[in-house]
Amino acid sequence: DAGVIQSPRHEVTEMGQEVTLRCKPISGHDYLFWYRQTMMRGLELLIYFNNNVPIDDSGMPEDRFSAKMPNASFSTLKIQPSEPRDSAVYFCASNRGIDGELFFGEGSRLTVL
Amino acid sequence: AQSVTQLDSQVPVFEEAPVELRCNYSSSVSVYLFWYVQYPNQGLQLLLKYLSGSTLVKGINGFEAEFNKSQTSFHLRKPSVHISDTAEYFCAVSQYGGSQGNLIFGKGTKLSVKP
């Protein structure tokens, strides 16, 4: 079975540009999570969905960030406009919500110049 | 609400030496406990988990962890480390029986194995 798939793996963009990160969760997983990892702040939960519905977005830094899950097999995290401080590795993860075990993607490394 | 504390941000150790990475948690309810490992430039992968039963849990790559309810700890151990164990290790907790499905992570411990 394929794991969580994220794209792009690397993204370099200029300040002010729109960035869209994509995620395909594991089939059958009802929960999808977006995390951000930086040296300074470690691993932060940004938002998570249950059955495609956003449950908790309290970790989203500000209005420049938005996330959607139009169907059970696809989610996007969008940053518009991007800023240098958004540079980080963004992870998508999914699970069935039974015991909490998370399955992570390889991450999308974002660099905003 | 749950929280996780990893007491050491960095642990340097020589190859073939034993290692213990410490993790304490706080929760008012029963929990599930996890250790994840992150190798450089990779995502997190599950090392081991405690759901119930035996308090000594064995994971991949020779790691094990012991759940101690009275001390609210879940320390990770390996009797003899290898250079390839150099990575960052994250302890995490989720609420037993909770419907949220989300994990609370510690800030991570960087294990550096030197020859």
Coordinates of all heavy atoms in Angstrom, one line a residue, chain A residues 9 31 33 35 37 39 41 43 45 48 91 95 97-106 109, chain B residues 32 34 36 38 41-44 46 49 51 88 90 94 98-103 105 107 110:
Chain A
R9 N 8.4 18.0 -3.5 CA 9.3 17.7 -2.4 C 10.2 19.0 -2.0 O 10.5 19.1 -0.9 CB 10.3 16.6 -2.8 CG 9.6 15.2 -2.9 CD 9.1 14.7 -1.6 NE 10.1 14.8 -0.5 CZ 11.1 13.9 -0.3 NH1 11.2 12.9 -1.1 NH2 11.9 14.1 0.7
Y31 N -8.5 10.7 9.0 CA -7.9 11.9 9.5 C -6.7 12.4 8.6 O -5.9 11.5 8.2 CB -7.4 11.8 10.9 CG -8.5 11.7 11.9 CD1 -9.2 10.4 12.2 CD2 -8.9 12.8 12.7 CE1 -10.2 10.3 13.1 CE2 -9.9 12.7 13.6 CZ -10.6 11.5 13.8 OH -11.6 11.4 14.8
F33 N -3.6 15.5 8.6 CA -2.9 16.5 9.4 C -1.9 17.2 8.6 O -1.2 16.6 7.8 CB -2.2 15.8 10.6 CG -3.1 15.0 11.5 CD1 -3.4 13.7 11.1 CD2 -3.6 15.5 12.7 CE1 -4.3 12.9 11.9 CE2 -4.4 14.8 13.5 CZ -4.7 13.5 13.1
Y35 N 1.5 19.5 9.3 CA 2.5 19.9 10.3 C 3.5 20.8 9.6 O 3.8 20.7 8.4 CB 3.2 18.8 10.9 CG 2.5 18.0 12.0 CD1 1.6 16.9 11.6 CD2 2.6 18.3 13.3 CE1 0.9 16.2 12.5 CE2 1.9 17.6 14.3 CZ 1.1 16.5 13.9 OH 0.4 15.8 14.8
Q37 N 7.6 22.1 10.3 CA 8.8 21.8 11.1 C 9.9 22.8 10.8 O 10.3 23.0 9.6 CB 9.4 20.4 10.9 CG 10.5 20.0 11.8 CD 11.0 18.6 11.6 OE1 11.1 18.1 10.5 NE2 11.3 17.9 12.7
M39 N 13.7 24.7 12.6 CA 14.7 24.5 13.7 C 14.3 25.2 15.0 O 14.4 24.7 16.1 CB 16.0 25.1 13.2 CG 16.6 24.3 12.1 SD 17.3 22.8 12.6 CE 18.7 23.4 13.5
R41 N 11.1 26.2 16.1 CA 9.9 25.9 16.7 C 9.6 24.4 16.8 O 8.6 24.0 17.3 CB 8.7 26.7 16.0 CG 8.9 28.2 16.1 CD 7.9 28.8 15.2 NE 6.6 28.8 15.8 CZ 6.1 29.7 16.6 NH1 6.8 30.8 16.8 NH2 4.9 29.6 17.1
L43 N 8.2 20.8 15.6 CA 7.1 20.3 14.9 C 5.8 20.9 15.4 O 5.4 20.7 16.5 CB 7.1 18.7 15.1 CG 6.3 17.9 14.1 CD1 6.9 18.0 12.7 CD2 6.4 16.4 14.5
L45 N 1.6 21.5 14.8 CA 0.4 21.1 14.1 C -0.3 22.3 13.6 O -0.6 23.2 14.3 CB -0.5 20.3 15.0 CG -1.9 19.9 14.4 CD1 -1.7 18.9 13.3 CD2 -2.8 19.3 15.5
Y48 N -6.0 20.0 11.2 CA -6.3 18.7 10.8 C -7.8 18.5 10.4 O -8.6 19.3 10.9 CB -5.9 17.6 11.9 CG -6.7 17.5 13.1 CD1 -7.7 16.6 13.2 CD2 -6.5 18.3 14.3 CE1 -8.5 16.4 14.4 CE2 -7.2 18.2 15.4 CZ -8.2 17.2 15.5 OH -8.9 17.1 16.6
F91 N 4.9 18.9 6.6 CA 4.6 17.5 6.5 C 3.0 17.3 6.5 O 2.3 18.0 7.2 CB 5.1 16.7 7.8 CG 6.6 16.6 7.7 CD1 7.4 17.4 8.5 CD2 7.2 15.6 6.9 CE1 8.8 17.2 8.5 CE2 8.6 15.4 6.9 CZ 9.4 16.2 7.7
N95 N -4.2 9.2 9.5 CA -4.4 8.0 10.3 C -5.9 7.7 10.3 O -6.8 8.4 9.8 CB -3.8 8.1 11.7 CG -4.6 9.1 12.6 OD1 -5.7 9.5 12.3 ND2 -3.9 9.4 13.7
G97 N -7.5 7.4 13.2 CA -8.1 7.9 14.4 C -8.4 6.9 15.5 O -9.2 7.2 16.4
I98 N -7.8 5.7 15.4 CA -8.1 4.7 16.4 C -7.2 4.8 17.6 O -7.6 4.9 18.7 CB -8.0 3.3 15.7 CG1 -9.0 3.1 14.6 CG2 -8.1 2.2 16.8 CD1 -8.9 1.8 13.9
D99 N -5.9 4.8 17.3 CA -5.0 4.9 18.5 C -4.0 6.1 18.3 O -3.2 6.3 19.2 CB -4.1 3.6 18.6 CG -3.4 3.2 17.3 OD1 -3.1 4.2 16.5 OD2 -3.0 2.1 17.1
G100 N -4.2 6.8 17.3 CA -3.3 8.0 17.2 C -2.1 7.8 16.3 O -1.4 8.8 16.0
E101 N -1.7 6.6 16.0 CA -0.5 6.4 15.2 C -0.6 7.2 13.9 O -1.6 7.0 13.2 CB -0.3 4.9 14.9 CG 1.0 4.7 14.0 CD 1.2 3.3 13.7 OE1 0.5 2.4 14.3 OE2 2.1 3.0 12.8
L102 N 0.4 8.0 13.6 CA 0.4 8.8 12.4 C 1.3 8.3 11.4 O 2.4 7.8 11.7 CB 0.8 10.3 12.8 CG -0.2 11.2 13.4 CD1 0.5 12.5 13.7 CD2 -1.4 11.4 12.4
F103 N 0.9 8.4 10.1 CA 1.7 8.0 9.0 C 2.1 9.3 8.3 O 1.2 10.0 7.8 CB 1.0 7.0 8.1 CG 0.6 5.7 8.8 CD1 -0.5 5.7 9.7 CD2 1.4 4.6 8.7 CE1 -0.8 4.5 10.4 CE2 1.1 3.4 9.3 CZ 0.0 3.4 10.2
F104 N 3.4 9.5 8.2 CA 3.9 10.8 7.6 C 4.3 10.6 6.2 O 4.8 9.6 5.8 CB 5.1 11.3 8.4 CG 4.7 12.0 9.7 CD1 4.4 11.2 10.8 CD2 4.6 13.4 9.8 CE1 4.1 11.8 12.0 CE2 4.2 14.0 11.0 CZ 4.0 13.2 12.1
G105 N 4.1 11.7 5.4 CA 4.7 11.8 4.1 C 6.2 12.2 4.3 O 6.7 12.4 5.4
E106 N 6.9 12.3 3.1 CA 8.3 12.7 3.1 C 8.5 14.2 3.4 O 9.7 14.6 3.6 CB 8.9 12.3 1.8 CG 9.0 10.8 1.6 CD 10.1 10.1 2.4 OE1 11.2 10.5 2.3 OE2 9.7 9.3 3.3
R109 N 9.8 20.7 1.4 CA 10.7 21.7 1.9 C 10.5 23.0 1.1 O 10.8 23.0 -0.1 CB 12.2 21.2 1.7 CG 13.2 22.2 2.3 CD 14.6 21.7 2.2 NE 14.8 20.5 3.1 CZ 15.1 20.6 4.4 NH1 15.2 21.8 5.0 NH2 15.2 19.5 5.1
Chain B
Y32 N -2.1 6.7 24.9 CA -1.3 5.8 24.1 C 0.1 6.6 23.9 O 0.1 7.8 23.9 CB -1.9 5.6 22.7 CG -3.2 4.9 22.7 CD1 -4.2 5.4 21.9 CD2 -3.3 3.7 23.3 CE1 -5.5 4.7 21.9 CE2 -4.6 3.0 23.3 CZ -5.6 3.5 22.6 OH -6.8 2.9 22.5
F34 N 4.0 6.9 21.9 CA 4.7 6.6 20.7 C 6.1 7.2 20.7 O 6.4 8.2 21.4 CB 4.0 7.2 19.5 CG 2.6 6.8 19.4 CD1 1.6 7.5 20.1 CD2 2.2 5.8 18.5 CE1 0.3 7.1 20.0 CE2 0.8 5.5 18.4 CZ -0.1 6.1 19.1
Y36 N 8.8 8.2 17.6 CA 9.1 8.3 16.2 C 10.5 8.7 16.0 O 11.2 9.4 16.8 CB 8.2 9.5 15.5 CG 6.8 9.0 15.3 CD1 5.8 9.0 16.3 CD2 6.4 8.6 14.0 CE1 4.5 8.7 16.0 CE2 5.1 8.2 13.7 CZ 4.2 8.3 14.7 OH 2.9 7.9 14.5
Q38 N 13.3 10.4 13.0 CA 13.4 11.2 11.8 C 14.9 11.2 11.4 O 15.7 11.9 12.1 CB 12.9 12.6 12.0 CG 12.9 13.4 10.7 CD 12.4 14.8 10.9 OE1 12.5 15.4 11.9 NE2 11.8 15.4 9.8
N41 N 16.6 14.8 6.5 CA 15.9 15.0 5.2 C 14.9 14.0 4.9 O 14.5 13.8 3.7 CB 16.9 15.1 4.1 CG 17.9 16.2 4.2 OD1 17.6 17.3 4.6 ND2 19.2 15.9 4.1
Q42 N 14.3 13.4 5.9 CA 13.2 12.5 5.7 C 12.0 12.8 6.7 O 12.2 13.6 7.5 CB 13.7 11.0 6.0 CG 14.8 10.5 5.1 CD 15.1 9.1 5.3 OE1 14.3 8.3 5.8 NE2 16.3 8.7 4.9
G43 N 10.9 12.1 6.4 CA 9.8 12.3 7.3 C 9.9 11.4 8.5 O 10.9 10.8 8.7
L44 N 8.9 11.5 9.4 CA 9.0 10.8 10.7 C 8.4 9.4 10.4 O 7.4 9.2 9.7 CB 8.1 11.4 11.7 CG 8.7 12.6 12.5 CD1 8.7 13.9 11.6 CD2 7.9 12.9 13.7
L46 N 7.5 5.6 12.5 CA 7.2 5.0 13.8 C 8.3 4.0 14.2 O 8.7 3.2 13.5 CB 5.8 4.3 13.8 CG 5.4 3.7 15.1 CD1 5.0 4.8 16.1 CD2 4.2 2.7 14.9
K49 N 5.3 1.7 19.7 CA 4.2 2.3 20.4 C 3.7 1.5 21.5 O 3.9 0.2 21.5 CB 3.0 2.5 19.4 CG 2.5 1.2 18.8 CD 1.4 1.6 17.8 CE 0.9 0.3 17.1 NZ -0.1 0.6 16.0
L51 N 0.2 0.7 23.5 CA -1.2 0.9 23.6 C -1.8 0.3 24.8 O -2.7 0.9 25.5 CB -1.9 0.2 22.3 CG -1.4 0.7 21.0 CD1 -2.1 0.0 19.8 CD2 -1.5 2.2 20.8
E88 N 16.9 12.3 14.8 CA 16.1 13.0 15.8 C 15.0 12.1 16.2 O 14.3 11.5 15.4 CB 15.6 14.3 15.3 CG 15.0 15.2 16.4 CD 14.9 16.6 16.1 OE1 15.1 17.0 14.9 OE2 14.7 17.4 17.0
F90 N 11.4 11.6 18.4 CA 10.3 12.3 19.0 C 9.4 11.4 19.8 O 9.0 10.3 19.3 CB 9.4 12.9 17.9 CG 10.1 14.0 17.1 CD1 10.9 13.7 16.0 CD2 10.0 15.4 17.5 CE1 11.5 14.7 15.3 CE2 10.6 16.4 16.8 CZ 11.4 16.1 15.7
S94 N -1.2 10.3 22.6 CA -2.5 10.5 22.2 C -3.5 10.0 23.3 O -3.2 9.2 24.1 CB -2.8 9.9 20.9 OG -3.0 8.5 21.0
G98 N -9.8 8.5 22.6 CA -10.2 9.7 22.0 C -10.6 9.6 20.6 O -10.1 8.8 19.8
S99 N -11.5 10.5 20.2 CA -11.9 10.5 18.8 C -11.2 11.5 17.9 O -11.4 11.6 16.7 CB -13.4 10.8 18.7 OG -13.7 12.1 19.3
Q100 N -10.2 12.1 18.5 CA -9.6 13.2 17.8 C -8.5 12.6 16.8 O -8.3 13.2 15.8 CB -8.9 14.2 18.7 CG -9.9 14.9 19.6 CD -9.3 15.6 20.8 OE1 -8.4 15.0 21.4 NE2 -9.7 16.8 21.0
G101 N -7.8 11.6 17.3 CA -6.8 11.0 16.4 C -5.5 11.8 16.3 O -4.6 11.4 15.6
N102 N -5.4 12.9 17.0 CA -4.2 13.6 16.9 C -3.2 13.3 18.0 O -3.5 13.0 19.1 CB -4.4 15.1 16.9 CG -5.2 15.6 18.1 OD1 -6.1 14.9 18.5 ND2 -4.8 16.8 18.6
L103 N -1.9 13.4 17.6 CA -0.8 13.2 18.6 C -0.2 14.5 19.1 O -0.2 15.5 18.3 CB 0.4 12.5 17.9 CG 0.2 11.0 17.5 CD1 1.4 10.5 16.9 CD2 -0.2 10.2 18.7
F105 N 3.3 16.0 20.2 CA 4.7 15.7 20.1 C 5.5 16.4 21.1 O 5.3 17.6 21.4 CB 5.2 16.0 18.7 CG 4.8 15.0 17.7 CD1 3.6 15.1 17.0 CD2 5.6 13.8 17.4 CE1 3.2 14.2 16.0 CE2 5.2 12.9 16.5 CZ 4.0 13.1 15.8
K107 N 9.5 18.0 21.8 CA 10.3 18.9 21.0 C 11.4 18.1 20.3 O 12.2 18.7 19.5 CB 10.8 20.1 21.8 CG 9.7 21.0 22.2 CD 10.2 22.3 22.6 CE 9.1 23.3 23.0 NZ 8.3 23.6 21.8
K110 N 18.0 15.0 19.6 CA 18.9 14.7 18.6 C 20.0 13.8 19.1 O 20.7 14.1 20.0 CB 19.5 15.9 18.0 CG 18.5 16.8 17.2 CD 19.2 18.0 16.5 CE 18.2 18.8 15.7 NZ 18.7 20.0 15.1

